Amino acid sequence: MTAGIAAITVDGSADEVRHLVSWLGAEDELAGRVRLAGPGSGVVVMVSSRSAGAFCRSLFGWLHRQRDGRRVSLTVKRSGAVEELDVDCGGGHDVDEVLASVRNFLDQD
């Protein structure tokens, strides 16, 4: 199991970003692993191939709840690696497609 960091960029207000932090942090598998990225519109989540399912489903649940066609940018970095995975989420993207991409990326050697 490989761990990494998922950085989420949200096009929204500071209140919406804080709401996303609370939303993701309410997941048992993500508790204590979700933080604001600092000033601006970012969220950082420590994620592993094991917690990727809870992370992706929760993120898409939040997007679905927004009901405004909102999209977020997701960048995943593996621990100890230089490569990054960049995904735009929302709109026509399927949670299972994004989840498979995140898990496959985290499990690469």
Side-chain angles (χ1 to χ4, degrees), residues 52-64 74 87-103:
F55 167 68
C56 289
R57 285 181 180 37
S58 187
L59 176 60
F60 273 81
W62 183 81
L63 285 167
H64 179 71
L74 173 64
V87 181
D88 285 327
C89 300
H93 278 89
D94 179 18
V95 65
D96 293 325
E97 175 186 331
V98 173
L99 173 56
S101 295
V102 171
R103 278 191 176 145

Side-chain angles (χ1 to χ4, degrees), residues 15-94:
D15 286 341
E16 290 170 314
V17 175
R18 284 191 294 274
H19 182 256
L20 177 57
V21 169
S22 296
W23 180 274
L24 293 172
E27 292 289 335
D28 289 341
E29 292 180 65
L30 302 177
R33 298 175 180 219
V34 183
R35 307 237 186 293
L36 286 172
S41 59
V43 178
V44 176
V45 182
M46 293 176 57
V47 67
S48 67
S49 53
R50 186 178 303 160
S51 64
F55 167 68
C56 289
R57 285 181 180 37
S58 187
L59 176 60
F60 273 81
W62 183 81
L63 285 167
H64 179 71
R65 222 166 160 227
Q66 301 307 305
R67 296 189 187 131
D68 60 2
R70 180 177 313 267
R71 302 178 69 83
V72 299
S73 295
L74 173 64
T75 300
V76 181
K77 296 181 182 182
R78 266 190 331 273
S79 297
V82 176
E83 300 87 12
E84 295 180 351
L85 171 69
D86 292 311
V87 181
D88 285 327
C89 300
H93 278 89
D94 179 18

